[in-house]
Amino acid sequence: MRTPVVLLPALGETRDDWTEIAPTLAQDHDVHALDLRGHGQAAWEPPYTFARMRDDVIRTLDDLGLDELDLVGHSLGGAVACHVAAAQPDRIRRLVLEDVGALRPRVPQSPDRPPGPLLFDWDMVLSVRRQLDSPDPTWRDDLALIAAPTLVLAGGPDSPVPDETIDELVNRVPDARRVTIPVGHLIHRAAPQAWLDAVVPFLAQT
């Protein structure tokens, strides 16, 4: 039986961000790439909270009839994936987190809106940034509820994600290990083969 794999993209990205690696994953899995709320074809309706994005994903899993699956998330998608895996630990068989650290308070910065039409709601970006700047501490606490074996991919020194927060996440998730692919934050795009070399064998384990 083919295990479904669900892919959650980063802030400002849509499900099309997984186009390059999805065909390889589809050789052994039923692949479902999703848009998060405020992105692409998902609902552009506030409030744009991590909890609501989590509930959106769970509702989609219910609609697809996916009772057991592997879950992959990049950056924001990884933070949402942690929420899903903590809320429904029996449902997630294996978890892959690409360049995701434990959320810690940080100095707020005001992002500039890119020019022209966007594939995402700019109000969503501002809302998510506020939650990243002042995260709910229960997000870190809930990492202990994740039961799935977890692979954490780190982008190395060129990534904006602080390395110590990735180590903290690995230490807080009960069954997690880290692999560093030093190409920056966009690992699956900058080094797709290295990403697949790490992820495909991990997902193949029983």
Side-chain angles (χ1 to χ4, degrees):
M1 182 176 177
R2 291 162 61 91
T3 301
V5 60
V6 173
L7 309 175
L8 305 180
L11 178 66
E13 301 290 349
T14 70
R15 58 188 177 186
D16 292 338
D17 187 51
W18 300 105
T19 299
E20 186 168 2
I21 63 166
T24 300
L25 294 177
Q27 293 175 9
D28 298 302
H29 303 269
D30 294 325
V31 177
H32 305 271
L34 308 184
D35 287 329
L36 296 175
R37 177 174 291 267
H39 296 78
Q41 298 181 30
W44 290 29
E45 298 175 0
Y48 294 116
T49 64
F50 284 172
R52 197 167 189 199
M53 292 180 179
R54 173 202 63 202
D55 293 345
D56 288 342
V57 172
I58 291 173
R59 188 176 304 109
T60 300
L61 302 183
D62 291 342
D63 291 344
L64 293 171
L66 304 182
D67 297 325
E68 184 181 53
L69 62 133
D70 296 335
L71 186 59
V72 177
H74 175 218
S75 197
L76 172 62
V80 174
C82 288
H83 260 305
V84 174
Q88 299 197 333
D90 294 337
R91 192 173 206 170
I92 308 305
R93 192 188 72 95
R94 289 188 171 268
L95 179 64
V96 177
L97 304 173
E98 178 182 344
D99 219 37
V100 183
L103 301 183
R104 297 178 181 177
R106 66 184 189 183
V107 177
Q109 296 181 344
S110 298
D112 295 325
R113 186 192 186 282
L118 303 174
L119 295 175
F120 51 89
D121 187 346
W122 185 246
D123 288 339
M124 175 275 304
V125 173
L126 298 178
S127 177
V128 167
R129 289 291 294 255
R130 287 192 292 270
Q131 293 169 80
L132 293 174
D133 293 339
S134 299
D136 183 340
T138 61
W139 186 92
R140 291 194 303 278
D141 296 338
D142 286 350
L143 294 173
L145 303 177
I146 296 174
T150 301
L151 174 65
V152 181
L153 301 179
D158 291 333
S159 168
V161 179
D163 199 64
E164 64 271 16
T165 67
I166 295 178
D167 284 339
E168 181 184 352
L169 184 145
V170 171
N171 289 332
R172 285 178 176 269
V173 174
D175 184 6
R177 64 184 181 89
R178 167 182 170 153
V179 172
T180 300
I181 302 175
V183 294
H185 190 52
L186 305 176
I187 302 170
H188 68 279
R189 273 196 269 165
Q193 191 57 55
W195 190 98
L196 289 165
D197 288 345
V199 172
V200 170
F202 174 74
L203 296 183
Q205 297 174 31
T206 58

